[in-house]
Amino acid sequence: MRRLALCVWLIAMTALTSAAFAFDNGQYDHVPPDIRAWFKSVIAPNGVPCCDISDGHRTDYDVRAGVYWVPIEGQWMEVPERAIIRDRGNPVGQAVVWYVHHRGAIIISCFVPADAV
């Protein structure tokens, strides 16, 4: 229940900061149940759920001096250490990043590299 409340809070905060966020309006019906379950189970190192499949964005990434970088809305952004998830595996075959807009900035909340184990 706490996890659901945290996810609802994160979505509400995103809406209040005028961000556009995704909804699953049937466009993810073709996603296998195991992949859907993985998206729902991913939790940031600080214990906050990353939310759902409609919130995660498959992405390219680069490693520069041991730091992950991802392209978001046309600009490369450094992934903060607090957002990197290394212990959930990655069944989708691509890196996934979750982010929100907050007060004019893009905040990366979760990142799973393509080769996460």
Side-chain angles (χ1 to χ4, degrees):
M1 184 64 178
R2 180 175 176 224
R3 196 172 141 195
L4 177 61
L6 287 171
C7 192
V8 169
W9 178 84
L10 179 63
I11 291 171
M13 291 297 102
T14 302
L16 292 174
T17 59
S18 73
F21 53 91
F23 287 99
D24 184 349
N25 293 322
Q27 72 269 37
Y28 301 105
D29 286 345
H30 66 283
V31 176
D34 60 322
I35 302 296
R36 185 179 294 275
W38 177 81
F39 272 94
K40 290 179 184 271
S41 73
V42 180
I43 297 174
N46 64 3
V48 176
C50 298
C51 285
D52 209 340
I53 191 168
S54 59
D55 304 306
H57 304 270
R58 293 178 185 211
T59 186
D60 292 324
Y61 67 95
D62 192 15
V63 180
R64 304 174 189 170
V67 177
Y68 289 106
W69 288 77
V70 294
I72 297 177
E73 299 179 7
Q75 68 180 22
W76 282 90
M77 298 186 66
E78 182 177 341
V79 177
E81 184 66 29
R82 64 164 173 68
I84 302 170
I85 302 161
R86 296 180 171 96
D87 64 349
R88 299 296 307 182
N90 184 340
V92 299
Q94 287 180 282
V96 181
V97 64
W98 288 260
Y99 63 89
V100 295
H101 290 89
H102 181 70
R103 295 184 180 180
I106 295 173
I107 308 296
I108 297 173
S109 54
C110 299
F111 173 74
V112 179
D115 59 354
V117 183

